[in-house]
């Protein structure tokens, strides 16, 4: 085991924050009682914003990028896991306050580790990543609010993106009548293959009426801004909207009328340090309702040296589905015993 690791690190430059490939001493990976060999990470919108300087994500610099990580345990710490156990880290401020998953090794508090269920490979777990966990939590929120397949159709906005694609697949598998909204006309067949009953172009959000025809018993919004405002106007009485996106803007120009006249519910979704109970329920739902074949249709893989261009693409033009970054050359690489002097 080398005393340093290949990484993709964020730096402050004269042009703003930018990402570049580096090697990082293992002694500088950060605090934590657990060490893992990272096999995969993924490309997320937030990662793209950070690497291109479009938004301030990292609280301090330099910082290793990557808001999620999947790999095998080298030092289990207080987790109770065995060496070599497959684990995922999502929603733990990676690349914000703690070094992230774009590195061959990662040291974290052991409480951040989630065992990967046997039904999923390490690639699958990375394809799920932040986007998939968020989508699953959104579905849980809807169902806890009383939305069920018999209640009526549900909408998914930004449906061809990573979290939207996984939301469509989960909802369809659970029996919901899903209308998928996307700005990518070429993605229609793809979304139907995931289970969407209908695929629509991006909604016309220019309407000025505070209430429009109520259509949705529930919705998963990955976009935010005027799209979320439109969903509040077009939600049916008693509907619930689970919202977590801001690619369409982080302001909400809406009225209270859908809430006080139709009794709709707006449910916020965050993956940042959920309770153990929520984390368990979320992964149970993923096991039950995200078929591996659907996940494989959603996800593609790139090599570590292709990461830079993928991060630019997700911000500039968007990407369909999920892009997994292969950090280790082979998923089956046996974990090396770490040198205790590198703690």
């Amino acid at each position: 085991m080398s005393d340093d690791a290949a990484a993709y690190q964020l730096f402050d430059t004269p042009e703003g924050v930018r990402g570049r490939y580096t090697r990082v001493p293992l002694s500088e990976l950060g605090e934590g009682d657990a060490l893992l060999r990272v096999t995969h990470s993924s490309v997320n919108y937030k990662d793209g914003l950070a690497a291109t300087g479009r938004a301030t994500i990292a609280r301090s610099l330099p910082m290793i990028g990557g808001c999620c990580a999947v790999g095998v345990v080298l030092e289990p710490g207080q987790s109770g896991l065995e060496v070599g156990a497959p684990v995922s880290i999502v929603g733990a401020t990676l690349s914000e306050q703690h070094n992230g998953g774009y590195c061959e090794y990662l040291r974290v508090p052991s409480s951040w580790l989630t065992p990967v269920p046997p039904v999923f490979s390490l690639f699958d777990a990375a394809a799920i990543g932040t986007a998939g966990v968020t989508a699953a939590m959104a579905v849980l929120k809807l169902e806890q609010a009383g939305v069920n397949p018999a209640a009526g159709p549900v909408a998914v906005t930004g449906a061809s993106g990573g979290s939207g694609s996984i939301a469509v697949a989960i909802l369809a598998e659970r029996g919901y009548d899903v209308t998928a909204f996307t700005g990518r006309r070429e993605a229609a067949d793809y979304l139907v293959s995931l289970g969407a009953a209908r695929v629509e172009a991006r909604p016309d959000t220019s309407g000025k009426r505070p209430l429009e025809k109520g259509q949705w018993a529930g919705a998963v919004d990955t976009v935010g801004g005027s799209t979320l405002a439109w969903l509040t106007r077009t939600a049916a009485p008693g509907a619930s909207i689970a919202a977590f996106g801001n690619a369409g803007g982080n302001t909400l120009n809406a009225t209270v009328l859908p809430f006080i006249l139709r009794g709709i519910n707006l449910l916020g979704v965050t993956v940042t340090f959920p309770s153990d109970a929520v984390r368990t329920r979320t992964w149970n739902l993923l096991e039950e309702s995200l078929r591996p074949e659907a996940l494989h249709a959603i996800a593609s893989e790139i090599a570590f040296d292709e990461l830079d261009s993928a991060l630019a693409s997700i911000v500039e033009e968007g990407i369909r589905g999920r892009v997994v970054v292969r950090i280790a050359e082979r998923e089956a690489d046996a974990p090396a015993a770490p040198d205790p002097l590198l703690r």
Side-chain angles (χ1 to χ4, degrees):
M1 183 172 175
S2 172
D3 60 358
D4 64 6
Y8 185 85
Q9 204 166 13
L10 307 176
F11 293 91
D12 196 4
T13 75
E15 293 76 34
V17 177
R18 295 291 186 273
R20 67 172 182 260
Y21 296 100
T22 61
R23 294 200 69 86
V24 178
L26 297 190
S27 59
E28 297 179 9
L29 290 181
E31 299 298 320
D33 60 324
L35 179 70
L36 62 149
R37 171 77 159 103
V38 180
T39 61
H40 301 81
S41 186
S42 60
V43 177
N44 300 279
Y45 185 69
K46 183 167 72 172
D47 296 320
L49 293 175
T52 59
R54 304 289 182 92
T56 301
I57 304 297
R59 306 293 176 85
S60 62
L61 295 168
M63 177 77 72
I64 298 171
C67 65
C68 55
V70 170
V72 293
V73 173
L74 298 182
E75 294 178 8
Q78 300 299 309
S79 67
L81 298 170
E82 296 182 356
V83 172
V87 293
S88 171
I89 305 174
V90 167
T93 69
L94 296 188
S95 78
E96 296 178 40
Q97 300 180 44
H98 193 285
N99 282 321
Y102 295 158
C103 187
E104 293 177 300
Y105 296 93
L106 181 60
R107 183 172 288 285
V108 295
S110 56
S111 60
W112 295 5
L113 304 179
T114 298
V116 174
V119 69
F120 296 125
S121 68
L122 291 170
F123 171 89
D124 294 341
I128 292 167
T130 302
V133 169
T134 307
M137 290 177 68
V139 174
L140 281 175
K141 285 254 187 173
L142 291 179
E143 295 188 342
Q144 289 165 356
V147 180
N148 59 65
V154 295
V156 177
T157 62
S160 61
S163 53
S165 294
I166 293 176
V168 169
I170 291 173
L171 288 164
E173 183 68 13
R174 294 176 81 79
Y176 288 88
D177 181 334
V178 181
T179 298
F181 288 91
T182 179
R184 294 172 173 263
R185 285 183 290 181
E186 71 278 8
D189 290 344
Y190 160 74
L191 290 167
V192 169
S193 76
L194 297 180
R198 287 165 298 282
V199 179
E200 303 286 349
R202 287 184 183 131
D204 178 2
T205 62
S206 62
K208 303 299 182 184
R209 298 176 59 190
L211 290 171
E212 300 178 32
K213 179 183 177 181
Q215 303 176 63
W216 321 112
V220 173
D221 177 53
T222 77
V223 178
S226 62
T227 298
L228 177 55
W230 175 83
L231 281 172
T232 66
R233 301 195 300 270
T234 58
S240 293
I241 303 166
F244 54 81
N246 67 352
N250 58 12
T251 59
L252 181 61
N253 185 12
T255 75
V256 300
L257 294 185
F259 301 94
I260 64 177
L261 296 183
R262 289 183 176 170
I264 74 164
N265 305 298
L266 182 55
L267 311 172
V269 182
T270 179
V271 295
T272 304
F273 292 122
S275 68
D276 289 345
V278 169
R279 190 161 56 171
T280 298
R281 287 199 299 272
T282 300
W283 280 93
N284 285 344
L285 183 143
L286 287 162
E287 281 190 85
E288 294 168 2
S289 304
L290 184 57
R291 295 177 293 108
E293 53 267 36
L295 190 56
H296 295 163
I298 290 168
S300 58
E301 184 181 77
I302 62 172
F304 195 17
D305 61 9
E306 299 175 278
L307 174 59
D308 210 24
S309 59
L311 290 169
S313 292
I314 196 171
V315 174
E316 293 169 5
E317 58 202 54
I319 55 178
R320 195 186 85 172
R322 294 282 288 149
V323 174
V324 173
V325 185
R326 186 176 69 253
I327 306 295
E329 279 306 306
R330 297 184 305 277
E331 182 171 316
D333 281 346
D339 185 337
L341 296 178
L342 298 176
R343 287 175 178 272

